[in-house]
Amino acid sequence: MKFNLGGHINHAIYWETLAPISKGGGELPAPGPFTEQVNKDFGGFDRLIDELSKRTVAVMGSGWGWLGYDKTAKSLRLLELPNQETLGPEGVAPLLTIDVWEHAYYLDYKNVRAEYVKQVWKIINWKKVAERYEAASK
């Protein structure tokens, strides 16, 4: 049950995190609370993307790279979780996830996970990520 439910939750978040380029995919969010938090915690989006990419590519086997909001620390956190684990037990609100199960990228990228992670940033729906941050940080 935990595995199947985790897979459903993680994929629901993942699909909402993506958008075609024609619908804003890859466009960084407008200045606002989320952008300010990214700048505070990472010094900007370039470092956030670089750090989350490295951690996501390094997931052993199948799993997920996550950007979440830690309500206790009032900061953004990067996590990598195996299999279908969710952020719920971590006490962190999910903002963005990258699926690194092979089914997410094998047809286009074969076993080159790093290239998939590099390319997925072109379709990240940052507007949705910012909306999740604003809801989580209230």
Side-chain angles (χ1 to χ4, degrees):
M1 177 82 166
K2 177 181 173 185
F3 182 84
N4 292 331
L5 183 58
H8 172 73
I9 292 168
N10 292 350
H11 280 95
I13 294 167
Y14 175 68
W15 291 120
E16 287 182 355
T17 302
L18 304 178
I21 294 169
S22 63
K23 300 211 180 204
E27 290 178 18
L28 295 177
F34 176 61
T35 299
E36 291 171 14
Q37 190 73 51
V38 168
N39 290 336
K40 177 183 172 197
D41 293 340
F42 297 99
F45 282 93
D46 288 343
R47 185 157 170 252
L48 164 65
I49 291 168
D50 183 57
E51 291 296 319
L52 185 53
S53 293
K54 286 178 191 173
R55 292 176 73 154
T56 302
V57 168
V59 170
M60 293 299 293
S62 299
W64 304 82
W66 289 93
L67 169 66
Y69 180 70
D70 185 324
K71 293 181 180 190
T72 304
K74 296 189 185 318
S75 65
L76 298 172
R77 286 186 54 194
L78 303 179
L79 299 100
E80 57 282 339
L81 296 174
N83 301 316
Q84 300 294 16
E85 297 295 320
T86 63
L87 284 184
E90 301 295 324
V92 176
L95 304 179
L96 160 72
T97 191
I98 300 173
D99 182 350
V100 288
W101 282 70
E102 281 191 343
H103 66 247
Y105 60 89
Y106 192 81
L107 290 176
D108 291 325
Y109 300 99
K110 301 296 181 210
N111 62 349
V112 188
R113 180 183 284 181
E115 185 61 24
Y116 155 71
V117 171
K118 177 181 173 184
Q119 296 301 320
V120 78
W121 295 106
K122 294 178 181 177
I123 57 171
I124 294 296
N125 184 349
W126 287 106
K127 181 179 177 184
K128 183 67 175 177
V129 176
E131 289 171 4
R132 284 193 185 127
Y133 168 80
E134 290 182 26
S137 63
K138 289 184 178 179

